[in-house]
Amino acid sequence: MLRAPTMQETDVRTAKPRAFTPRLIANVIAHTQFTTSHAGKMDYYFEYTECDSTGSRWRVAIPHMTGSCTGLPEPVRGTECTFSCKAGEFLEMSAQECTQCAAGSYSLGSGIRFDQWDSMPAGFSSLATLLENSPHGDDRLTCNSSSWVPQGNYLESNRDECTVSLIYAVHLKKKGSVSFEYQYPDNNRLFEFFIQNDQCQEMDQSSDTKWLKLTNHGEWATHTVSLKSGTNILYWRTGGVLMGTKVVKPVLLKNIQIEGVAYTSECFPCKPGTFSHAPGSSMCNLCPRDTFSGHGASSCTPCNATSQYAAEGSGVCKDRPLCSKKDYVQIHTACDHEGMTQVMYKWIEPKICLEGVAGAEQLPPSEEREPCPPCNPGFYNNDTPTCSPCPSGTFSTGLRPCKQCPAGTEPILGYEYKWWNILPSTMKTSCFNVGNSKCDGMNGWEVAGDYIQSGAGGSDNDYLILNIHVPGFKLPTSLSSQSGTEFGRITFEFETSCSADCELYFMMDVNRKSTTVVESWERTKSRQTYTHIMTKNASVSYTWAFQRTNQPSDVRRSVNDVARIYSISVTNAVDGLSSGCRPCALSAQPSGSACVPCPAGHYIDTHTSKCTECPRNTYLVPHAAQGAEACNPCGPASKSDRDHRLCYSDCHFTHTEGNVTLTFDFSPLGFVGSLMKGPSFTSKGTKYFHQVNISLCGGQGQLAVCTDNVTDLSISDSQREKGEGGNTVKTFICQSTIIPAGGRGFPTALSSQSINLANTFLGVTVENTLDGIEAKPEQFPQTSRKVPDVNFYYRSLEPTSSCESGRSAVVKLRCDPARSTKGDLSVPSQCPEGTCDGCTFHFLWESSGACPTCTERDYHQIEGVCKGGHQNLLYVWTEPKLCVGGVTLPEKKTLPCEGMEFWVRLGAGLGSFTAVLLVSLTCYFWKKNKRLEYKYSRLVMSANKECEMPGADSCAVMEGENEGDMEDEVVYTKPSLLGKLKAIASKGNRESFEHVQLNSPHSKALVWS
């Protein structure tokens, strides 16, 4: 019989077949001339030579052992190089004809499939990329033990952060393709598929075929890529960034199929648990439940129904265990015609345990019947056992019949589920397991009256799925023109109770493009509420996935680990029901009663039911109360945009302290600033950075954008810059994780894990507290207090698992003339990640652009010397200069002036004149004094002569007196003296007389003593 070629000997199974040349053929013929034994058909096998330039080849016989036989068949011309058989056939080499595969085997014709992963198939290899050494020089942290691991039905990537490549090489004679199924649930991991030629040059691939998209937890996706003729080296490469204690979930592969090989010279036997009952099969089918099959089976064998069981696709039967409490679940029956329900217990299907034997647990009896819970809002029962949705335009609280909304109001659309007697029609539940099909067909979640809880599943690592699909959102009529900020929101109340490492995921798939994990909660969590806001109008599926453990498991041990959801509400769902009515804006026509949409930024006046624009610098709050209360004022030094959607800073700020007013203009800093925090290193020494983008000024068009170039490459770079990608974050402050180029074996830098740190701007102030957020000035000590720091406050309204009130951020702007206008961003030294508690982030932006605007107070005047009759006036900045922009220094001024020589001469002249005047006055008054003394002495002498007055001639001009003496004047100024003279005169002459005053030109005041 002709031996079938081994996996290493055909184009189907190897990267490149042996090269059979004419010299090799001659050597084979020559070899037969020196052997003595006759060759039998079992002593050799056939294989084709390499194709020549004409596209032809030869079939030659190759002995199994060199020199052991003679009489090998002569080489004959083979089939064309592009020849291949159909699916279900193989090329029988002795006759060079296509032959059907026997029952129990299959063939792809010109393809090959790898669907059994008990061990690594021949031709596959796993290669780990060595990481950089850690920052402390510890080279022990290597990835030698990291690899892809076979898990029976699938292949699992490494669970650490190492970069590991799965490699397979194939040589194609014609164009073909490769397809495979994969699971890629964790965006903390990087996953790419690329192709190289035999020169290790990467083939041209579009980004959407190289970087694979995320998948839902437990769901398999299919990826197909075209291959060129020639050698194709296939790479499946994974890597991750492991920060903290969070475990990165692995990538799973299965059913790798390659088309385009030249021929297949044998059929593949069906693996255990599968069969093909007819010849010429192109695939093998799974054995049904409670049957099994071995290797290469053409049929399945039933198990012993009383003592054994087998899951679908089993290779062996297993003994049935004794029933236990883990084998049944509690359910609530649907309402009967009397409006009653009861708690019952049923065996988990398919039932594999034994009951009615010693040691087996019995099924508990049903509990008492009780009244059914009311209908959910938007439904009514109308005295029937089932709840029916209210007709369009009507509403119901679930307790009363549906009614029309009153005039001037409109229905509030949405979903509101808080009673769980049956699963709502808009929701679905399922169970997935990547390694087995034990839970296929099971309900992942079970209703339980007051809540819905996770089901038992088939194994502890099952994904228990609960899904709700929203085809779109519809804003209320009055708000239909409002856009951008919020189209709807989903709110749910939940709790988890776990003894193992369970995890509850909340995921979102927008427009069926890719699934992203919005939030997750590990281990036990107390009852709490979570809200997610939808900022775009799109079709979206929300999914809850509960997994008891992420380790491989085939048994059900932690069935008591559960997740419970008490209520789910979705607002503004386009196909939602109404639980109430809300006032709407009425037409301006006097008789109008129809609801009309309000323009953007308008609220409904509760008194007039008319649209009224929000006041200046206020923003309209979605889902707020009616009336003016819906308009909230913006924070300090902030303003609202035209449509009153959000508040922002216009880069201008004014601060007054005492009589001094400082004016700031931050526009030179730019609208968006970036900070690269790090580097940081993971436990394996992988270097990564955190890039933070901060929108300092501007409204909707100037927000910061953080992109993900790994898990969402289906959009263009221009769309990503605009924030239009599914994994793109556009907000006031966002953060991305950056892996440098080459650090993990990737040729370009990778950006992933983009998160929103702040989506609301609160205001600008120099105070250290605003709206409950503290700036903590001690984290950034200030050396100079001449110019105060200016604080920008932000907040995120979305709660997280670690920050129930959402995140917040403070950006502190500090004037530093020594820095550039753009300045530098930094974080506190004691908190290198920018946050010490994980919820409040602090940033310092030091820049000359953060200094106040210059005014007249910031410079002073300097007077120059007077030179040549001119004097210069100069203006210089007061040092240190702590201002920027604003007023400019005045130009130098030149004024006329008098020099020092003039004033010296003038002073000398005035001094000389003063000296001469003083000398002259001194001489004059000295002479005058002498003359007065003489007059006085004579007067005294004449008064003392027998107390008689002198004769008349005594007053005559004496000889020797000049004419000037006649002008002398005697003035009686003292009454006592005058009285004395009168007494003397009256004694000598009793005749009456008048006293007179004598004037003299020589003296202006002659005083009689």
Side-chain angles (χ1 to χ4, degrees):
M1 294 292 293
L2 179 65
R3 186 190 68 85
T6 63
M7 294 182 70
Q8 290 79 13
E9 296 170 338
T10 67
D11 280 323
V12 172
R13 304 299 180 98
T14 60
K16 190 174 182 180
R18 293 183 181 181
F20 290 97
T21 61
R23 169 178 285 184
L24 179 59
I25 298 174
N27 290 338
V28 171
I29 298 174
H31 174 76
T32 62
Q33 298 175 358
F34 297 95
T35 57
T36 57
S37 61
H38 184 74
K41 290 185 178 181
M42 299 298 296
D43 298 325
Y44 61 88
Y45 62 92
F46 292 109
E47 193 159 322
Y48 284 123
T49 65
E50 282 284 350
C51 294
D52 58 23
S53 58
T54 62
S56 60
R57 56 187 173 182
W58 292 79
R59 190 203 68 178
V60 297
I62 308 297
H64 290 301
M65 298 181 62
T66 303
S68 62
C69 61
T70 58
L72 290 174
E74 295 291 331
V76 298
R77 185 173 294 277
T79 60
E80 297 293 329
C81 290
T82 58
F83 174 82
S84 62
C85 297
K86 296 185 299 182
E89 298 179 342
F90 72 100
L91 182 63
E92 206 282 315
M93 293 294 290
S94 59
Q96 299 192 68
E97 294 178 352
C98 292
T99 304
Q100 282 189 341
C101 293
S105 64
Y106 74 96
S107 168
L108 299 177
S110 61
I112 183 173
R113 179 190 295 146
F114 300 95
D115 55 5
Q116 187 172 352
W117 303 95
D118 296 318
S119 61
M120 189 71 76
F124 281 87
S125 61
S126 182
L127 176 65
T129 302
L130 295 179
L131 301 179
E132 316 155 349
N133 289 341
S134 67
H136 307 292
D138 188 357
D139 57 359
R140 294 172 298 172
L141 301 173
T142 63
C143 296
N144 293 334
S145 60
S146 300
S147 65
W148 288 77
V149 180
Q151 295 288 358
N153 294 328
Y154 59 92
L155 192 65
E156 181 182 280
S157 73
N158 57 309
R159 289 175 175 261
D160 55 24
E161 61 184 287
C162 296
T163 300
V164 182
S165 298
L166 177 68
I167 306 172
Y168 182 75
V170 63
H171 189 80
L172 302 184
K173 297 300 182 181
K174 59 182 179 179
K175 292 182 180 180
S177 64
V178 57
S179 64
F180 55 89
E181 296 179 50
Y182 71 95
Q183 279 194 22
Y184 176 26
D186 195 343
N187 60 359
N188 291 316
R189 177 171 292 283
L190 315 173
F191 184 31
E192 65 173 337
F193 172 73
F194 61 94
I195 306 166
Q196 290 184 352
N197 58 20
D198 54 0
Q199 301 298 319
C200 294
Q201 296 173 337
E202 190 169 334
M203 302 285 196
D204 294 334
Q205 281 182 263
S206 60
S207 58
D208 57 344
T209 60
K210 179 176 181 180
W211 297 99
L212 284 84
K213 297 180 181 180
L214 290 171
T215 62
N216 285 323
H217 285 253
E219 294 185 0
W220 293 93
T222 301
H223 190 69
T224 303
V225 178
S226 299
L227 299 178
K228 296 180 179 180
S229 60
T231 299
N232 293 265
I233 306 175
L234 313 180
Y235 286 83
W236 292 265
R237 177 181 289 175
T238 64
V241 179
L242 188 60
M243 293 171 287
T245 59
K246 191 172 182 66
V247 177
V248 180
K249 291 179 172 54
V251 172
L252 309 181
L253 282 179
K254 71 175 184 179
N255 294 339
I256 299 176
Q257 182 169 321
I258 301 173
E259 296 284 350
V261 296
Y263 63 92
T264 175
S265 59
E266 64 174 344
C267 295
F268 297 93
C270 292
K271 66 179 182 178
T274 64
F275 71 100
S276 64
H277 66 278
S281 297
S282 60
M283 61 179 298
C284 297
N285 301 315
L286 293 176
C287 287
R289 292 184 184 274
D290 295 328
T291 64
F292 74 100
S293 68
H295 192 76
S298 59
S299 63
C300 298
T301 305
C303 300
N304 186 333
T306 58
S307 61
Q308 292 181 320
Y309 77 98
E312 184 182 27
S314 296
V316 295
C317 292
K318 298 180 180 180
D319 293 334
R320 293 182 180 271
L322 298 180
C323 291
S324 67
K325 292 182 179 180
K326 298 179 181 179
D327 294 308
Y328 61 82
V329 293
Q330 171 187 304
I331 63 169
H332 279 65
T333 63
C335 290
D336 57 21
H337 65 281
E338 297 179 355
M340 304 294 286
T341 183
Q342 67 180 142
V343 174
M344 299 181 63
Y345 299 87
K346 70 172 185 177
W347 297 112
I348 297 174
E349 295 295 338
K351 181 175 177 292
I352 62 174
C353 64
L354 290 174
E355 61 175 323
V357 297
E361 188 77 21
Q362 299 298 315
L363 196 65
S366 300
E367 297 183 4
E368 296 287 337
R369 297 173 72 229
E370 57 185 16
C372 289
C375 294
N376 283 309
F379 291 83
Y380 74 104
N381 58 18
N382 198 19
D383 297 329
T384 61
T386 60
C387 294
S388 304
C390 287
S392 177
T394 63
F395 74 97
S396 173
T397 61
L399 300 174
R400 297 181 179 179
C402 302
K403 297 192 304 183
Q404 290 284 341
C405 286
T409 64
E410 59 181 330
I412 303 174
L413 297 180
Y415 310 135
E416 188 174 356
Y417 303 129
K418 56 184 180 180
W419 303 111
W420 303 95
N421 193 50
I422 61 171
L423 188 68
S425 59
T426 56
M427 304 184 70
K428 296 180 180 180
T429 181
S430 58
C431 179
F432 292 98
N433 190 295
V434 298
N436 58 65
S437 59
K438 292 169 62 176
C439 77
D440 291 357
M442 291 185 180
N443 287 334
W445 293 67
E446 298 285 352
V447 295
D450 294 334
Y451 52 82
I452 183 171
Q453 68 178 6
S454 55
S459 306
D460 281 350
N461 66 336
D462 291 343
Y463 285 104
L464 307 175
I465 305 297
L466 181 65
N467 174 272
I468 182 172
H469 178 68
V470 183
F473 296 89
K474 180 183 179 181
L475 291 172
T477 303
S478 300
L479 303 178
S480 58
S481 60
Q482 315 285 350
S483 60
T485 56
E486 178 179 340
F487 285 93
R489 60 175 59 191
I490 180 171
T491 302
F492 59 93
E493 187 178 5
F494 72 98
E495 69 176 356
T496 58
S497 176
C498 302
S499 59
D501 55 341
C502 69
E503 190 164 4
L504 174 65
Y505 304 90
F506 174 60
M507 299 173 290
M508 177 178 65
D509 182 5
V510 179
N511 291 330
R512 302 186 183 276
K513 286 187 176 180
S514 62
T515 301
T516 58
V517 177
V518 179
E519 191 59 77
S520 63
W521 299 268
E522 296 179 351
R523 299 186 178 273
T524 298
K525 295 295 179 184
S526 60
R527 188 168 174 174
Q528 57 188 275
T529 300
Y530 180 81
T531 298
H532 176 72
I533 297 175
M534 191 67 182
T535 57
K536 63 172 62 175
N537 193 357
S539 173
V540 58
S541 290
Y542 296 108
T543 301
W544 294 265
F546 181 70
Q547 188 181 37
R548 293 184 171 91
T549 179
N550 62 4
Q551 301 298 324
S553 174
D554 287 330
V555 296
R556 189 169 54 234
R557 293 191 179 94
S558 304
V559 70
N560 292 325
D561 292 359
V562 296
R564 297 185 182 94
I565 297 178
Y566 292 90
S567 64
I568 300 174
S569 65
V570 181
T571 63
N572 300 334
V574 69
D575 62 344
L577 303 176
S578 176
S579 60
C581 302
R582 58 170 288 161
C584 65
L586 301 181
S587 172
Q589 300 297 328
S591 60
S593 61
C595 295
V596 295
C598 285
H602 287 62
Y603 66 92
I604 303 173
D605 191 301
T606 55
H607 300 291
T608 63
S609 297
K610 305 299 181 186
C611 298
T612 305
E613 185 177 4
C614 285
R616 187 170 178 266
N617 291 336
T618 62
Y619 66 97
L620 190 63
V621 181
H623 299 275
Q626 299 292 320
E629 294 78 10
C631 302
N632 279 10
C634 294
S638 63
K639 60 193 305 184
S640 64
D641 59 359
R642 180 182 302 176
D643 295 336
H644 299 274
R645 296 175 186 169
L646 53 80
C647 298
Y648 67 95
S649 170
D650 61 355
C651 282
H652 293 85
F653 175 69
T654 301
H655 171 63
T656 300
E657 186 173 352
N659 296 326
V660 178
T661 299
L662 300 178
T663 302
F664 296 83
D665 181 8
F666 301 119
S667 55
L669 277 70
F671 291 101
V672 178
S674 296
L675 166 67
M676 189 75 77
K677 297 185 297 183
S680 299
F681 296 86
T682 64
S683 59
K684 289 277 189 177
T686 303
K687 181 193 296 184
Y688 68 92
F689 297 85
H690 279 155
Q691 179 174 341
V692 178
N693 294 331
I694 301 173
S695 173
L696 192 67
C697 309
Q700 188 73 26
Q702 304 294 339
L703 295 178
V705 176
C706 291
T707 61
D708 185 346
N709 68 349
V710 176
T711 56
D712 190 8
L713 294 184
S714 60
I715 60 172
S716 63
D717 292 337
S718 61
Q719 288 177 307
R720 189 176 294 111
E721 292 174 0
K722 296 177 182 178
E724 297 178 359
N727 294 323
T728 299
V729 177
K730 186 175 183 180
T731 184
F732 279 102
I733 303 179
C734 59
Q735 175 180 284
S736 298
T737 300
I738 306 296
I739 301 177
R744 300 300 308 277
F746 295 99
T748 59
L750 302 179
S751 172
S752 65
Q753 304 177 24
S754 297
I755 60 174
N756 166 35
L757 298 183
N759 57 10
T760 303
F761 178 70
L762 299 180
V764 186
T765 178
V766 297
E767 303 297 331
N768 292 323
T769 303
L770 180 65
D771 198 19
I773 303 174
E774 186 177 356
K776 296 185 178 180
E778 67 275 4
Q779 292 186 346
F780 301 107
Q782 191 176 10
T783 57
S784 174
R785 298 187 179 274
K786 293 183 178 180
V787 177
D789 292 339
V790 181
N791 299 318
F792 281 65
Y793 290 87
Y794 302 84
R795 169 171 283 143
S796 172
L797 301 179
E798 298 180 2
T800 65
S801 57
S802 57
C803 306
E804 295 182 358
S805 300
R807 301 184 181 98
S808 58
V810 181
V811 181
K812 185 182 293 291
L813 269 62
R814 177 169 295 172
C815 171
D816 188 349
R819 298 184 185 268
S820 64
T821 301
K822 295 295 184 182
D824 301 299
L825 273 163
S826 60
V827 295
S829 57
Q830 61 270 35
C831 306
E833 289 298 321
T835 176
C836 297
D837 58 4
C839 296
T840 303
F841 292 78
H842 299 270
F843 306 97
L844 176 63
W845 197 334
E846 298 175 286
S847 165
S848 59
C851 296
T853 302
C854 293
T855 63
E856 288 78 2
R857 298 187 307 271
D858 298 305
Y859 63 82
H860 59 274
Q861 173 183 299
I862 297 180
E863 296 181 355
V865 297
C866 184
K867 187 175 182 181
H870 296 86
Q871 182 184 31
N872 293 329
L873 297 181
L874 300 177
Y875 299 89
V876 296
W877 296 111
T878 302
E879 294 295 336
K881 183 186 176 184
L882 298 176
C883 66
V884 64
V887 301
T888 59
L889 286 176
E891 297 291 336
K892 180 179 70 174
K893 296 180 180 179
T894 302
L895 301 176
C897 64
E898 301 293 343
M900 183 61 68
E901 297 82 359
F902 169 78
W903 292 107
V904 170
R905 289 194 299 270
L906 179 61
L910 291 175
S912 301
F913 174 77
T914 304
V916 173
L917 179 61
L918 291 175
V919 172
S920 301
L921 290 175
T922 302
C923 294
Y924 171 75
F925 284 110
W926 180 81
K927 183 178 178 180
K928 179 66 71 175
N929 187 51
K930 290 296 185 180
R931 190 170 292 141
L932 288 175
E933 288 180 357
Y934 169 72
K935 294 278 187 180
Y936 177 73
S937 62
R938 288 192 60 184
L939 181 59
V940 171
M941 291 177 60
S942 62
N944 290 333
K945 288 182 179 182
E946 295 179 358
C947 299
E948 294 181 357
M949 292 292 291
D953 58 353
S954 64
C955 294
V957 177
M958 301 299 294
E959 187 177 346
E961 296 178 6
N962 53 31
E963 295 179 354
D965 294 339
M966 297 177 64
E967 299 177 359
D968 291 340
E969 181 180 14
V970 180
V971 180
Y972 300 97
T973 60
K974 295 183 179 181
S976 60
L977 180 61
L978 181 58
K980 186 177 180 181
L981 293 176
K982 287 182 179 181
I984 295 173
S986 62
K987 181 184 281 188
N989 185 9
R990 296 296 183 182
E991 298 179 358
S992 58
F993 64 93
E994 295 180 358
H995 64 278
V996 297
Q997 184 175 1
L998 302 179
N999 294 322
S1000 172
H1002 301 284
S1003 176
K1004 295 296 182 182
L1006 177 61
V1007 179
W1008 296 83
S1009 61

